[in-house]
Amino acid sequence: MASLTGAASRLLPAARFTVSRTTARLYFSSSSVSPLKCPKSSPLLSHVFRYQKQSLVRVSSGSFSTVASAKSAASDPDQLKSAREDIKELLNTKFCHPILVRLGWHDAGTYNKNIEEWPQRGGANGSLRFEVELKHGANAGLVNALKLLQPIKDKYSAVTYADLFQLASATAIEEAGGPKIPMKYGRMDVSVPEQCPEEGRLPDAGPPSPAAHLRDVFYRMGLNDKEIVALSGAHTLGRSRPERSGWGKPETKYTKDGPGAPGGQSWTVQWLKFDNSYFKDIKERRDNDLLVLPTDAVLFEDPSFKEYAEKYAVDQDAFFKDYAEAHASLSNLGAKFDPPQGFSI
């Protein structure tokens, strides 16, 4: 969540990529990918934005099938399967698990259950590919995730951005040793930047009242306390980089040598391994080289949150079960599926 995510605050102006300590975001605030100074400074990113202007939403009809064809679904199942293999290779070479998780979460985490219309309600609709949303303060650095995935999108044109972002996020969790996520696909993409949600729907890392803030944000998405705590456990992956989020040390003994680009401060010792060590480390707080944000600490302070955090610290199987369900729920938020029931791969 330094980066999965966060509703309360109204963040920095959209033109800025860095955020202050008071507006740092939850969930995976960094990755092993070297940061770009500006999304338009890269020839590849210029291509990305040109490609986006040309892409259209494909609306089709057809009955539901777990083996849907390209003609009856927003994404082609065979291309999704191939894209998943390419994502696995990307993870093995770039060690980019945290930032891909964060990308999927931030595309879905703008959902507002109180808005019925699509895409005004936000959620997993691929809007995070557009420059205007990438420039939201909560999304600092996510242009690097788009840079990583764009070649895969170009290769598999019959896969929507919305599906690709969620596929990459779930695959990253699984490849890091986490649980199998019960995903479904067929998400439709928004087609123009004007359909992006307004800034300010994602979480902060250091709000004045962390428990109230987390509930404001995640209740707005339709999630509950158990899901808040389970999803927080994904902080077992990744690092916070102070130049992006305003939180964390420039480097620690656990991050100074990478893998990937060195630096940042991690929540756990093995920050590319998905397990329940986040809850153990937050509870014990014995290592000053491990990060504890206010929104982390509150999981063992708030009585309702603490019930689940204590459970997950001693029972990894219970954490994995609840996490898999919560991740799948998050990935579906606000999505418009074609076929309506979605399909599995």
Side-chain angles (χ1 to χ4, degrees):
M1 300 191 219
S3 52
L4 184 143
T5 70
S9 70
R10 293 300 174 262
L11 318 174
L12 296 181
R16 295 189 59 186
F17 262 72
T18 57
V19 286
S20 69
R21 176 172 294 274
T22 59
T23 56
R25 304 300 166 199
L26 279 74
Y27 305 102
F28 317 119
S29 63
S30 64
S31 78
S32 59
V33 184
S34 299
L36 299 178
K37 294 182 179 179
C38 173
K40 288 187 175 180
S41 65
S42 163
L44 173 58
L45 267 294
S46 296
H47 163 70
V48 168
F49 295 127
R50 285 199 304 272
Y51 182 88
Q52 291 164 1
K53 293 176 182 178
Q54 298 169 359
S55 62
L56 299 174
V57 175
R58 299 194 322 281
V59 181
S60 58
S61 61
S63 59
F64 168 74
S65 169
T66 56
V67 190
S69 70
K71 293 181 180 179
S72 65
S75 292
D76 178 79
D78 290 333
Q79 288 202 11
L80 276 167
K81 292 176 183 177
S82 297
R84 180 168 58 190
E85 296 309 307
D86 286 12
I87 290 168
K88 291 179 181 179
E89 180 62 25
L90 184 69
L91 292 166
N92 288 333
T93 57
K94 297 294 185 181
F95 309 104
C96 54
H97 305 65
I99 202 170
L100 294 187
V101 174
R102 183 182 169 218
L103 179 70
W105 282 36
H106 281 216
D107 194 48
T110 60
Y111 175 62
N112 187 338
K113 69 177 183 180
N114 300 312
I115 301 175
E116 183 177 351
E117 297 79 12
W118 184 92
Q120 292 92 329
R121 64 194 183 209
N125 58 29
S127 63
L128 190 46
R129 74 189 189 271
F130 288 116
E131 186 176 14
V132 62
E133 190 170 344
L134 283 168
K135 284 185 174 180
H136 289 180
N139 296 326
L142 282 180
V143 66
N144 296 303
L146 183 61
K147 178 182 176 183
L148 289 169
L149 289 180
Q150 188 61 47
I152 298 176
K153 179 66 175 77
D154 292 344
K155 184 177 179 181
Y156 304 108
S157 59
V159 172
T160 63
Y161 279 99
D163 273 348
L164 182 63
F165 292 169
Q166 299 309 321
L167 174 66
S169 182
T171 303
I173 293 291
E174 294 168 5
E175 290 298 295
K180 176 72 175 176
I181 312 297
M183 298 290 291
K184 67 176 182 177
Y185 298 95
R187 297 169 188 80
M188 294 174 58
D189 279 342
V190 297
S191 54
V192 293
E194 289 73 20
Q195 294 173 310
C196 291
E198 75 279 3
E199 188 167 9
R201 294 192 185 187
L202 294 170
D204 289 338
S209 301
H213 176 68
L214 288 175
R215 290 192 172 99
D216 284 344
V217 174
F218 287 95
Y219 284 12
R220 188 209 68 223
M221 300 181 204
L223 302 178
N224 58 34
D225 284 1
K226 181 174 76 170
E227 291 165 319
I228 291 172
V229 179
L231 290 171
S232 296
H235 265 159
T236 193
L237 298 179
R239 301 166 283 176
S240 179
R241 293 183 181 275
E243 68 272 18
R244 295 183 188 175
S245 68
W247 291 87
K249 299 178 180 179
E251 70 173 27
T252 70
K253 60 179 176 287
Y254 303 121
T255 66
K256 63 185 180 67
D257 297 321
Q265 185 175 13
S266 59
W267 286 263
T268 62
V269 174
Q270 294 181 286
W271 47 269
L272 287 177
K273 179 182 179 182
F274 194 95
D275 57 20
N276 67 336
S277 59
Y278 165 80
F279 296 104
K280 296 178 180 179
D281 292 336
I282 296 299
K283 181 179 180 178
E284 295 174 359
R285 297 201 209 182
R286 295 178 179 176
D287 192 334
N288 289 332
D289 268 347
L290 297 180
L291 183 62
V292 180
L293 298 171
T295 44
D296 299 317
V298 76
L299 300 182
F300 284 94
E301 296 167 355
D302 178 89
S304 179
F305 290 161
K306 184 177 180 179
E307 174 187 352
Y308 300 107
E310 292 279 6
K311 178 181 179 180
Y312 299 153
V314 298
D315 190 341
Q316 181 167 284
D317 289 341
F319 167 52
F320 274 26
K321 177 181 181 295
D322 291 348
Y323 179 84
E325 294 172 355
H327 185 122
S329 295
L330 178 69
S331 75
N332 295 335
L333 294 180
K336 184 176 182 179
F337 286 90
D338 179 18
Q341 303 92 333
F343 61 88
S344 59
I345 59 171

